[in-house]
Amino acid sequence: MISRRGVLAAGAALAALGWRGATAAPAPLTLTAADVHVADYPTVRAVEWMGGELARATDGRIGLRMYHAGQIGREGDTVNLARFGALDLVRVNVAALNNAFPLTRVLALPYVFESADHLHRGLDGPIGREILDAFAARGLVGLAYYDSGARCFYNTQRPIVVPEDLDGLKIRTPPSDIFMDVVGGLGANATPLPYGDVFSALGTRLIDGAENNWQTFHTSRQFEVARYWSQSEHSYAPEVLLMSKQRFDALPPADRDLVLDAAARSVPYMRGLWDASEAASRQAVLDAGIAFNEVDRDAFRRAAEPIVAPYLRDAALRRLYHALREA
Ligand code: GTR
């Protein structure tokens, strides 16, 4: 005779395996997602929208749980959690991928893109696809690119007009060799820090400034400390949405198609959010009294050339770089 204790133990074991009884509906699948940005940031909203689309297409069988504002940790850490199947989706900037995924470097080189339109022409075609496909070699499925605007310098000290104005300033970079090369090569003291530390590092004067887009400058409240914004537009390094390959491969083929489709459709949705929020963030920080200046863009481009050159010695990067420049 089976004891009550035995039944309870078996029930617990089956529950742990996800068994709900023969007649019960299949257990809902909740995809987990991570992002370092605040709740209403366009990347966060786009991935949540994607979750809504999946829920709609499956009558609620697939859902999504977003851990925003860096709740799961730094971007590099979340990428590794996804690689090992502990997290389903990660949205990070290519900066967090440059060291481990060499093809992404071409997207972070200074002045490779002239505008958001140029970025879209490059990413929406075969080059963008090739770079997304390369993530599979290290446990990830490249789902989509999202906009990240133009990165510009901002600091607590002075307007930056020519690269020489960066001399002696400690400028934060994302933890990416290429970003360190760029910021250091332009003349600043490059100081790599995780995104979540930048606001307090400005406040304690550990750093004098950083570089990023309008929305990040605004939503992270870094503009409250760094009062000089200089429109260098040195990088359009995009955001990337990745899925754990282990988790993706475990889905039935029809669900994989739903995920790919929802991710692709989240791109135009995100671009709409991006354009609106860029204008709003720019206006908000200008209203808050930020000193804005244009830079000598030609001087920045010239200073960037010797930084780019060593990367172009790599045949794959050289091919992608020229194809993107011509896009
Ligand atoms: C932002 C990007 C974040 C993060 C951040 C950074 O533009 O959206 O994912 O990478 O930059 O500089 O760390």
Side-chain angles (χ1 to χ4, degrees):
M1 205 175 134
I2 301 175
S3 68
R4 182 178 149 77
R5 181 178 295 187
V7 170
L8 288 177
L14 288 169
L17 291 169
W19 187 82
R20 294 284 189 282
T23 56
L29 167 66
T30 302
L31 301 177
T32 49
D35 194 304
V36 294
H37 284 301
V38 294
D40 60 350
Y41 200 88
T43 52
V44 175
R45 284 179 60 192
V47 174
E48 286 175 340
W49 180 88
M50 178 181 156
E53 290 295 289
L54 289 170
R56 204 167 52 82
T58 61
D59 285 332
R61 184 173 52 82
I62 303 183
L64 184 138
R65 166 116 205 238
M66 165 61 74
Y67 295 90
H68 65 278
Q71 293 170 64
I72 310 272
R74 301 169 177 184
E75 292 197 333
D77 297 336
T78 61
V79 168
N80 282 328
L81 286 173
R83 286 183 57 219
F84 298 116
L87 189 61
D88 294 298
L89 296 162
V90 281
R91 195 295 309 161
V92 295
N93 190 269
V94 284
L97 302 162
N98 288 161
N99 288 3
F101 299 89
L103 289 191
T104 65
R105 291 176 193 161
V106 74
L107 304 176
L109 290 174
Y111 297 110
V112 59
F113 298 111
E114 301 295 323
S115 64
D117 282 346
H118 184 191
L119 176 84
H120 296 165
R121 286 197 301 276
L123 295 184
D124 294 347
I127 308 169
R129 187 72 258 162
E130 180 181 343
I131 299 170
L132 286 182
D133 288 347
F135 286 108
R138 300 196 65 200
L140 294 166
V141 178
L143 293 179
Y145 297 104
Y146 290 148
D147 279 19
S148 195
R151 291 177 83 110
C152 299
F153 288 102
Y154 47 88
N155 76 92
T156 57
Q157 304 295 312
R158 55 181 179 251
I160 306 298
V161 179
V162 290
E164 289 71 26
D165 293 330
L166 288 166
D167 281 357
L169 293 184
K170 286 183 81 177
I171 300 291
R172 177 267 174 176
T173 74
S176 148
D177 291 349
I178 188 164
F179 269 86
M180 290 183 68
D181 286 350
V182 170
V183 169
L186 290 174
N189 297 333
T191 310
L193 282 177
Y195 176 65
D197 294 355
V198 182
F199 177 77
S200 60
L202 283 168
T204 60
R205 303 290 188 245
L206 173 68
I207 53 172
D208 299 306
E211 47 79 58
N212 222 308
N213 55 45
W214 287 112
Q215 286 95 320
T216 296
F217 185 51
H218 177 220
T219 59
S220 66
R221 296 175 36 233
Q222 292 172 38
F223 74 95
E224 292 173 7
V225 193
R227 307 295 287 167
Y228 295 95
W229 173 281
S230 306
Q231 192 69 19
S232 52
E233 300 182 13
H234 54 275
S235 171
Y236 277 85
E239 316 289 0
V240 188
L241 178 63
L242 300 162
M243 182 158 178
S244 162
K245 189 168 183 320
Q246 190 178 315
R247 302 279 294 159
F248 183 82
D249 290 347
L251 294 175
D255 286 353
R256 290 183 216 156
D257 288 345
L258 287 176
V259 169
L260 294 175
D261 176 63
R265 287 186 297 109
S266 73
V267 172
Y269 176 79
M270 193 278 180
R271 287 181 185 170
L273 293 178
W274 185 261
D275 292 344
S277 68
E278 184 167 58
S281 283
R282 183 178 194 278
Q283 196 55 51
V285 299
L286 292 176
D287 290 349
I290 287 302
F292 170 95
N293 72 277
E294 295 289 354
V295 306
D296 179 345
R297 196 79 52 75
D298 288 338
F300 269 87
R301 280 177 201 284
R302 276 196 304 277
E305 279 167 19
I307 304 167
V308 172
Y311 286 93
L312 302 188
R313 284 191 210 121
D314 177 275
L317 287 186
R318 190 166 60 243
R319 174 176 60 79
L320 294 173
Y321 178 82
H322 291 301
L324 287 175
R325 289 296 295 159
E326 282 155 24

